[in-house]
Amino acid sequence: MKTNEVNPFPVTTYISHNYFCNRELELKTLFKNNQNGLHTCLFAQRRVGKTGLIKHFFNEISTDKSTKCLYVDIFSTQNQAEFVRTLSNEIFQTFPPEKSIGRKFMEAIKSFRPVLSYDSLSGTPELSLDIADNKTKEKSIQEIFRFLDNQQTKLIIAIDEFQQITEYPEKNTEALLRSIMQQMQHITFVFCGSNLRLMNEMFHNTKRPFYSSCQSMYLGKISETDYSSFIKRHFEHAKRSITDESIAFILNWTCRHTYYTQYLCNQAFAGGNKKIELTYIQQVCKAILEQEQMVFFQYKKLLTADQWTLLIAVAKEEKITQPYANSFISKYRLKSSANVKRSLESLLEKEMLYSETTATETFYEVYDKYLMRWMELYA
Ligand SMILES: Nc1ncnc2c1ncn2[C@@H]1O[C@H](COP(=O)(O)OP(=O)(O)OP(=O)(O)O)[C@@H](O)[C@H]1O
Ligand SMILES: [Mg+2]
C-alpha cells in the first residue's frame, strides 16, 4: 500500500459517502422522520453499523443549512453530572463561541459557572460546570435542552450508547429525559446503543418512560449484492483486482457482519497485493485469528468450563435453534439441558452469544464472528 493511499475500508471512524456502503432505505427513513418531527431509536446487533449510519446521516443532511446536528456519545458517562458535562462539551465543540449559537450557549450556562480547560494531551478545549447537587443537575439538563430548542433552528440530536443512562445512580434520568423530549418543538432525537438487551428493555417495555416514544428502526445486514459490488469497486478503483470467489468468501466468512467484513477487507487491502485471490484472503483470515488469539484466551479465562464448551458447540454449528435438543447435547458432550440453560443465559448476558426471535424460530449465534471462526478451527 502506498503511503498516501487511503484504505477504503475504515474500521474506526466514518470517512465519507464514498466509503459507506448502501443503507439507503434507512437513510431515507431518517430524513423522513426528521422532516415529520419523529424521534428514532436504532436497534441492531453490536458492530453492525449504528454509529456509522448516524454519522452518514449527519454528513448527508449537512447540505441542508436549515438543520443543525449534534452527536453525543455518552458511553463514558457514569451519572447525570457527567451527562451534562459531555452534552455541554459537544455543544461547545459543535457550535464554538465564535458562532452565534455557541456564544449564546456560553451566556445561557453562566449560572453554572463554566470553566474552560485544555486536555493536556490533545489540546482540545473542555468545559466543566459547577453542578454539585441533584437539583442543579436536573435544572442544568432542562436548561441546556430548552436553550437548544429556543434557537429557532431545526436540530437533530443523536445520543449514542444511550443505554448508559440506566447505569446512573440517579434513577429518574429516563423519566427526566423523556419529559424534556416531550417539551421540545424544534428538536428530533435519534437514540442508539450497543447493548441491544438494555435498549429493548428501555424502549419496548410498557412500564418504562421511553415506551412508544420513538419510531424503532432495525438495522440488519447489508445485502450480499451491495456489499460485493462495494468491495469490488474499491479494490478496482485502487487499480487492484479481486476475484468474485474471494469476495464471496469474505462475505461468508464474516457472516456479512459489517465490522468483521470491513476489518477483513481493510487488512486485505493493507497487504498491498495487486491481484487478490482466494488463497491470499485465507492467509489474511488466518493472520487476523492469530492477532485476536490473546483476546480469545482472555475470554476463556473469564468463562466457566461449561460456558466455554457451550460457546464452542454453538460456534461449530454457526447457528442453533434447539440448544436443549438431546442430539445437540450429546454431540458436544454437554452435561444436561439444565446446565445448558444456565450457561446459555450467562453467555447471553455477557453478550458472548447473540439471540434473535423471528416469526418462526429463536436462534443463537456466537456474537464475535472471528471468535466463531477461531473456535471452529482450533477449539
Ligand atoms: N454501511 C457501511 N459501509 C461501510 N462501513 C461501515 C458501514 N457501517 C459501518 N461501517 C463501519 O463498520 C465499523 C463498525 O460500525 P459501527 O461502529 O458504526 O457499528 P455499531 O453498530 O455502532 O457498533 P457498536 O455496537 O460497537 O456501537 C465502523 O468502522 C464503521 O465505519
Ligand atoms: Mg456504535
Side-chain angles (χ1 to χ4, degrees):
M1 197 173 154
K2 292 179 215 138
T3 45
N4 60 353
E5 202 171 28
V6 174
N7 191 315
F9 303 102
V11 280
T12 47
T13 177
Y14 174 79
I15 303 184
S16 70
H17 181 100
N18 193 31
Y19 301 102
F20 200 73
C21 177
N22 192 322
R23 300 300 192 201
E24 280 163 21
L25 265 180
E26 291 85 356
L27 197 62
K28 257 195 200 143
T29 310
L30 286 169
F31 269 98
K32 205 170 89 194
N33 284 358
N34 177 49
Q35 197 154 28
N36 294 290
L38 293 178
H39 309 296
T40 315
C41 182
L42 259 177
F43 293 91
Q45 288 189 53
R46 277 181 186 269
R47 295 177 151 190
V48 152
K50 300 174 290 296
T51 303
L53 176 61
I54 292 177
K55 299 267 166 102
H56 185 53
F57 172 47
F58 280 7
N59 185 51
E60 299 294 293
I61 207 166
S62 63
T63 50
D64 168 7
K65 297 295 171 215
S66 65
T67 303
K68 304 230 173 315
C69 301
L70 182 70
Y71 171 83
V72 191
D73 179 349
I74 59 166
F75 184 68
S76 58
T77 62
Q78 303 293 335
N79 50 47
Q80 283 186 358
E82 288 179 12
F83 178 89
V84 175
R85 188 172 340 126
T86 305
L87 177 66
S88 335
N89 256 314
E90 282 309 328
I91 298 172
F92 184 73
Q93 310 290 346
T94 314
F95 310 112
E98 306 82 66
K99 300 249 169 81
S100 153
I101 297 185
R103 203 175 50 244
K104 282 191 257 169
F105 177 62
M106 291 304 279
E107 193 58 38
I109 57 168
K110 233 167 143 183
S111 64
F112 305 117
R113 291 188 282 278
V115 176
L116 194 61
S117 58
Y118 290 85
D119 184 285
S120 55
L121 289 176
S122 63
T124 343
E126 278 187 13
L127 206 58
S128 57
L129 306 178
D130 184 5
I131 42 166
D133 62 89
N134 283 342
K135 277 271 158 295
T136 326
K137 277 185 260 178
E138 283 181 29
K139 192 165 155 247
S140 61
I141 296 179
Q142 278 161 345
E143 284 194 8
I144 291 173
F145 281 108
R146 204 170 298 139
F147 164 81
L148 292 171
D149 198 42
N150 282 343
Q151 297 314 304
Q152 304 303 322
T153 176
K154 269 176 100 173
L155 176 67
I156 310 167
I157 303 183
I159 307 189
D160 205 348
E161 301 295 352
F162 189 59
Q163 78 277 335
Q164 196 60 29
I165 64 166
T166 63
E167 305 280 324
Y168 295 177
E170 300 94 348
K171 294 299 166 206
N172 66 338
T173 314
E174 271 179 76
L176 176 72
L177 289 178
R178 172 73 178 114
S179 94
I180 291 175
M181 188 174 123
Q182 277 170 319
Q183 295 156 27
M184 301 291 110
Q185 294 183 353
H186 303 100
I187 302 178
T188 54
F189 288 88
V190 180
F191 299 104
C192 90
S194 56
N195 189 316
L196 194 51
R197 192 178 53 79
L198 290 176
M199 290 293 287
N200 258 319
E201 188 48 32
M202 240 203 285
F203 286 89
H204 295 151
N205 181 336
T206 50
K207 298 199 179 83
R208 301 280 284 263
F210 275 92
Y211 175 73
S212 218
S213 61
C214 301
Q215 189 181 94
S216 300
M217 182 194 283
Y218 292 88
L219 197 61
K221 292 179 179 175
I222 296 168
S223 82
E224 198 167 337
T225 325
D226 290 337
Y227 226 149
S228 296
S229 49
F230 176 80
I231 296 171
K232 202 171 184 73
R233 173 163 63 86
H234 279 300
F235 276 102
E236 287 179 353
H237 186 255
K239 310 234 171 335
R240 326 257 191 108
S241 70
I242 179 163
T243 62
D244 290 345
E245 187 188 25
S246 306
I247 296 178
F249 183 88
I250 291 172
L251 295 179
N252 177 53
W253 197 76
T254 58
C255 305
R256 254 184 303 126
H257 197 131
T258 322
Y259 169 80
Y260 302 96
T261 310
Q262 286 292 116
Y263 189 72
L264 174 52
C265 290
N266 176 292
Q267 294 294 290
F269 190 91
N273 280 15
K274 289 274 175 225
K275 262 178 85 176
I276 305 220
E277 292 178 345
L278 185 58
T279 46
Y280 171 67
I281 292 294
Q282 287 166 334
Q283 282 168 25
V284 178
C285 293
K286 196 162 174 269
I288 291 177
L289 296 186
E290 275 163 19
Q291 274 168 30
E292 296 286 308
Q293 193 153 257
M294 291 311 286
V295 179
F296 302 154
F297 287 137
Q298 287 303 317
Y299 289 156
K300 186 176 181 183
K301 266 196 187 162
L302 295 170
L303 300 177
T304 65
D306 289 346
Q307 288 165 2
W308 186 248
T309 314
L310 177 63
L311 199 59
I312 294 171
V314 179
K316 293 199 170 176
E317 293 290 314
E318 290 194 14
K319 174 177 170 175
I320 57 155
T321 53
Q322 307 278 334
Y324 307 120
N326 282 336
S327 52
F328 176 68
I329 291 177
S330 58
K331 183 173 173 188
Y332 294 101
R333 297 178 189 197
L334 306 170
K335 288 182 182 151
S336 64
S337 54
N339 180 277
V340 168
K341 188 167 188 295
R342 261 198 312 277
S343 300
L344 195 73
E345 278 166 5
S346 175
L347 291 169
L348 286 168
E349 173 76 27
K350 294 181 202 304
E351 294 200 307
M352 297 300 295
L353 280 182
Y354 168 73
S355 141
E356 191 174 311
T357 302
T358 65
T360 51
E361 61 180 20
T362 295
F363 66 84
Y364 302 86
E365 293 174 352
V366 173
Y367 227 129
D368 181 331
K369 297 305 166 214
Y370 293 154
L371 173 64
M372 179 182 97
R373 294 302 180 200
W374 181 80
M375 287 182 145
E376 281 173 351
L377 285 172
Y378 305 114

